[in-house]
Amino acid sequence: MVFPLFDNLCVPIGVYLSGGIDSSAIGGMVTEISRKEHVKLGNEETSRVTCFSVAFLETSGYDESHVAERTAEWLRVKTIKKIITEDTLAEDFEDAVFHCEHHHYDLNSVAKFAPSTLPQELGINVVLTGEGSDEHFAGYPCFHVEFLREADGASPDSELTKNGELRENLFKSAQQEMKGIWERVGGTVLDNVPAPQSSAGPGAFDTCDTLLA
Protein backbone atom coordinates (compact mmCIF):
# COMPACT_ATOMS: atom_id res chain seq x y z
CA MET A 1 0.00 0.00 0.00
CA VAL A 2 1.41 3.37 -0.99
CA PHE A 3 1.62 5.92 1.80
CA PRO A 4 -1.00 8.65 1.00
CA LEU A 5 1.72 11.30 0.83
CA PHE A 6 3.22 9.63 -2.23
CA ASP A 7 0.01 8.72 -4.03
CA ASN A 8 0.36 10.15 -7.55
CA LEU A 9 3.11 12.47 -6.32
CA CYS A 10 5.11 13.94 -9.20
CA VAL A 11 7.31 16.40 -7.35
CA PRO A 12 10.66 15.87 -5.62
CA ILE A 13 10.76 15.60 -1.83
CA GLY A 14 13.05 17.50 0.52
CA VAL A 15 13.77 16.71 4.17
CA TYR A 16 15.29 19.01 6.77
CA LEU A 17 17.83 16.65 8.31
CA SER A 18 19.72 17.40 11.51
CA GLY A 19 20.76 13.82 12.15
CA GLY A 20 18.66 13.69 15.32
CA ILE A 21 16.01 11.06 16.02
CA ASP A 22 13.04 13.05 14.70
CA SER A 23 14.32 14.22 11.32
CA SER A 24 16.22 10.95 10.76
CA ALA A 25 12.99 9.00 11.30
CA ILE A 26 11.17 11.19 8.76
CA GLY A 27 13.99 10.81 6.24
CA GLY A 28 14.08 7.06 6.82
CA MET A 29 10.33 6.66 6.29
CA VAL A 30 10.35 8.72 3.09
CA THR A 31 13.22 6.81 1.51
CA GLU A 32 12.04 3.39 2.70
CA ILE A 33 8.49 3.85 1.43
CA SER A 34 9.58 5.31 -1.89
CA ARG A 35 11.93 2.38 -2.53
CA LYS A 36 9.72 -0.38 -1.18
CA GLU A 37 6.64 0.85 -3.03
CA HIS A 38 8.67 1.77 -6.13
CA VAL A 39 7.35 5.31 -5.96
CA LYS A 40 9.13 7.73 -8.26
CA LEU A 41 9.63 11.16 -6.75
CA GLY A 42 9.81 14.00 -9.23
CA ASN A 43 11.02 13.89 -12.80
CA GLU A 44 14.06 12.11 -14.23
CA GLU A 45 16.38 14.93 -13.20
CA THR A 46 15.12 15.20 -9.61
CA SER A 47 14.03 11.69 -8.69
CA ARG A 48 15.97 11.40 -5.44
CA VAL A 49 15.06 12.60 -1.99
CA THR A 50 17.17 15.63 -1.09
CA CYS A 51 18.09 16.45 2.50
CA PHE A 52 18.96 19.92 3.76
CA SER A 53 21.00 20.65 6.87
CA VAL A 54 22.98 23.42 8.50
CA ALA A 55 26.62 23.51 9.50
CA PHE A 56 28.39 25.80 11.94
CA LEU A 57 32.06 26.66 11.93
CA GLU A 58 34.07 23.94 13.67
CA THR A 59 35.49 26.52 16.06
CA SER A 60 31.98 27.41 17.26
CA GLY A 61 31.56 24.15 19.16
CA TYR A 62 28.00 23.79 17.79
CA ASP A 63 28.64 21.96 14.54
CA GLU A 64 26.89 18.59 14.24
CA SER A 65 26.73 18.47 10.46
CA HIS A 66 28.84 15.30 10.41
CA VAL A 67 25.93 13.50 12.10
CA ALA A 68 23.53 14.64 9.36
CA GLU A 69 26.03 13.64 6.68
CA ARG A 70 26.43 10.19 8.21
CA THR A 71 22.65 9.75 8.34
CA ALA A 72 22.21 10.90 4.74
CA GLU A 73 24.95 8.51 3.62
CA TRP A 74 23.22 5.63 5.40
CA LEU A 75 19.90 6.60 3.76
CA ARG A 76 21.69 6.93 0.41
CA VAL A 77 20.28 10.39 -0.24
CA LYS A 78 21.79 13.66 -1.34
CA THR A 79 22.41 16.27 1.34
CA ILE A 80 22.98 20.00 0.91
CA LYS A 81 24.38 22.12 3.73
CA LYS A 82 24.12 25.79 4.52
CA ILE A 83 26.96 27.27 6.56
CA ILE A 84 25.71 29.33 9.51
CA THR A 85 27.85 32.21 10.77
CA GLU A 86 27.20 35.28 12.90
CA ASP A 87 26.66 37.23 9.68
CA THR A 88 23.98 34.84 8.37
CA LEU A 89 22.21 34.84 11.75
CA ALA A 90 22.11 38.64 11.73
CA GLU A 91 20.99 38.72 8.11
CA ASP A 92 18.12 36.25 8.65
CA PHE A 93 17.00 37.50 12.07
CA GLU A 94 14.31 39.93 10.90
CA ASP A 95 12.75 37.48 8.44
CA ALA A 96 12.82 34.66 11.01
CA VAL A 97 10.99 36.79 13.59
CA PHE A 98 8.43 37.88 10.99
CA HIS A 99 7.59 34.34 9.91
CA CYS A 100 7.71 32.75 13.38
CA GLU A 101 5.43 35.40 14.89
CA HIS A 102 6.67 34.88 18.43
CA HIS A 103 9.43 36.04 20.73
CA HIS A 104 12.99 34.67 20.50
CA TYR A 105 15.05 34.04 23.59
CA ASP A 106 17.88 32.55 21.52
CA LEU A 107 18.84 32.22 17.84
CA ASN A 108 17.67 28.64 17.41
CA SER A 109 14.68 29.60 15.25
CA VAL A 110 16.88 31.83 13.11
CA ALA A 111 19.24 28.93 12.40
CA LYS A 112 16.23 26.77 11.50
CA PHE A 113 15.00 29.47 9.12
CA ALA A 114 18.37 29.74 7.36
CA PRO A 115 18.16 26.61 5.15
CA SER A 116 14.61 27.42 4.00
CA THR A 117 15.89 29.19 0.89
CA LEU A 118 17.73 26.11 -0.39
CA PRO A 119 14.71 24.01 -1.49
CA GLN A 120 13.25 26.97 -3.36
CA GLU A 121 16.52 27.54 -5.19
CA LEU A 122 16.46 23.91 -6.34
CA GLY A 123 12.78 23.88 -7.29
CA ILE A 124 11.73 21.61 -4.42
CA ASN A 125 8.30 22.64 -3.15
CA VAL A 126 7.59 19.80 -0.68
CA VAL A 127 9.77 19.65 2.43
CA LEU A 128 9.22 17.42 5.47
CA THR A 129 10.63 18.03 8.95
CA GLY A 130 10.71 16.44 12.37
CA GLU A 131 9.04 19.49 13.92
CA GLY A 132 6.19 18.75 16.32
CA SER A 133 7.52 15.52 17.80
CA ASP A 134 8.97 17.29 20.84
CA GLU A 135 5.54 18.70 21.64
CA HIS A 136 3.99 15.23 21.44
CA PHE A 137 6.70 13.40 23.36
CA ALA A 138 7.86 16.14 25.78
CA GLY A 139 11.28 16.42 24.20
CA TYR A 140 12.27 19.58 26.09
CA PRO A 141 11.82 20.72 29.71
CA CYS A 142 9.25 23.39 28.79
CA PHE A 143 6.94 20.64 27.55
CA HIS A 144 7.31 18.70 30.81
CA VAL A 145 5.60 21.58 32.61
CA GLU A 146 2.61 21.53 30.26
CA PHE A 147 2.40 17.73 30.34
CA LEU A 148 2.22 17.72 34.13
CA ARG A 149 0.07 20.83 34.61
CA GLU A 150 -3.18 18.88 34.87
CA ALA A 151 -4.32 15.27 34.82
CA ASP A 152 -4.74 13.70 31.39
CA GLY A 153 -8.38 12.66 31.15
CA ALA A 154 -7.61 10.69 28.00
CA SER A 155 -5.42 8.32 30.05
CA PRO A 156 -7.47 7.51 33.18
CA ASP A 157 -5.29 4.50 34.04
CA SER A 158 -2.07 6.50 33.99
CA GLU A 159 -0.26 6.72 37.32
CA LEU A 160 -0.01 10.49 36.83
CA THR A 161 -3.78 10.71 36.42
CA LYS A 162 -4.58 8.54 39.42
CA ASN A 163 -1.90 9.95 41.73
CA GLY A 164 -2.49 13.69 41.92
CA GLU A 165 0.18 14.20 44.58
CA LEU A 166 2.85 12.58 42.41
CA ARG A 167 1.88 14.65 39.39
CA GLU A 168 1.84 17.88 41.43
CA ASN A 169 5.31 17.20 42.86
CA LEU A 170 6.72 16.46 39.41
CA PHE A 171 5.01 19.58 38.06
CA LYS A 172 6.66 21.77 40.70
CA SER A 173 10.02 20.17 39.98
CA ALA A 174 9.61 20.83 36.25
CA GLN A 175 8.67 24.44 36.96
CA GLN A 176 11.83 24.92 39.02
CA GLU A 177 13.92 23.45 36.22
CA MET A 178 12.35 25.84 33.71
CA LYS A 179 12.85 28.77 36.06
CA GLY A 180 16.57 27.99 36.15
CA ILE A 181 16.70 27.76 32.35
CA TRP A 182 14.94 31.11 31.86
CA GLU A 183 17.25 32.78 34.37
CA ARG A 184 20.34 31.39 32.61
CA VAL A 185 19.22 32.90 29.29
CA GLY A 186 18.55 36.28 30.88
CA GLY A 187 14.81 36.09 31.50
CA THR A 188 13.10 37.48 34.59
CA VAL A 189 10.78 35.01 36.31
CA LEU A 190 8.03 36.30 38.58
CA ASP A 191 7.20 33.97 41.46
CA ASN A 192 3.67 33.39 42.75
CA VAL A 193 2.03 35.03 39.76
CA PRO A 194 -0.65 33.01 37.88
CA ALA A 195 0.35 32.14 34.34
CA PRO A 196 -1.62 34.21 31.80
CA GLN A 197 -4.18 32.45 29.65
CA SER A 198 -2.98 31.62 26.18
CA SER A 199 -4.62 32.89 23.01
CA ALA A 200 -5.24 29.19 22.30
CA GLY A 201 -8.39 29.48 24.41
CA PRO A 202 -9.81 28.83 27.90
CA GLY A 203 -7.88 26.30 29.91
CA ALA A 204 -4.71 26.67 27.84
CA PHE A 205 -1.61 28.37 29.17
CA ASP A 206 1.55 29.74 27.64
CA THR A 207 4.57 27.46 27.92
CA CYS A 208 6.57 30.46 29.12
CA ASP A 209 4.61 30.41 32.39
CA THR A 210 5.44 33.59 34.30
CA LEU A 211 8.36 34.69 32.17
CA LEU A 212 9.02 38.29 31.29
CA ALA A 213 11.57 38.25 28.46
Side-chain angles (χ1 to χ4, degrees):
M1 178 179 179
V2 177
F3 192 72
L5 172 67
F6 300 126
D7 192 17
N8 298 319
L9 188 65
C10 59
V11 297
I13 292 288
V15 177
Y16 287 151
L17 181 67
S18 68
I21 294 175
D22 307 326
S23 62
S24 296
I26 296 296
M29 286 188 284
V30 170
T31 54
E32 176 70 10
I33 292 172
S34 64
R35 289 170 184 149
K36 183 178 293 185
E37 302 293 344
H38 304 291
V39 177
K40 183 177 180 181
L41 303 177
N43 55 37
E44 293 182 359
E45 296 180 353
T46 58
S47 59
R48 298 181 65 188
V49 176
T50 301
C51 292
F52 302 95
S53 61
V54 299
F56 294 88
L57 299 177
E58 291 186 9
T59 54
S60 69
Y62 292 104
D63 186 47
E64 297 179 344
S65 60
H66 62 284
V67 181
E69 289 178 351
R70 184 179 62 196
T71 304
E73 183 178 351
W74 188 81
L75 293 174
R76 290 179 291 149
V77 296
K78 181 180 181 181
T79 181
I80 299 175
K81 293 190 299 185
K82 181 164 185 176
I83 306 298
I84 304 298
T85 65
E86 289 186 1
D87 289 339
T88 58
L89 289 173
E91 181 180 343
D92 291 332
F93 184 81
E94 184 176 351
D95 286 337
V97 172
F98 176 82
H99 289 291
C100 288
E101 297 183 326
H102 64 74
H103 66 281
H104 292 262
Y105 61 87
D106 62 20
L107 296 177
N108 185 42
S109 295
V110 185
K112 287 183 178 181
F113 173 84
S116 63
T117 58
L118 298 178
Q120 187 177 37
E121 293 170 1
L122 295 174
I124 296 177
N125 297 319
V126 178
V127 181
L128 304 178
T129 80
E131 296 293 326
S133 53
D134 289 310
E135 287 82 350
H136 283 291
F137 301 109
Y140 290 101
C142 60
F143 300 126
H144 300 171
V145 175
E146 301 310 310
F147 179 75
L148 295 164
R149 187 181 293 279
E150 58 185 31
D152 184 2
S155 303
D157 296 328
S158 167
E159 186 64 26
L160 291 175
T161 301
K162 294 187 294 184
N163 191 334
E165 182 179 358
L166 172 63
R167 181 185 57 77
E168 183 65 24
N169 288 336
L170 290 174
F171 172 68
K172 291 178 180 178
S173 176
Q175 277 191 316
Q176 284 300 114
E177 182 180 8
M178 277 308 303
K179 178 181 178 181
I181 292 174
W182 290 128
E183 289 175 341
R184 285 196 294 275
V185 298
T188 300
V189 180
L190 303 180
D191 292 320
N192 302 318
V193 176
Q197 277 200 339
S198 167
S199 57
F205 292 87
D206 289 326
T207 58
C208 293
D209 269 330
T210 51
L211 168 73
L212 290 182

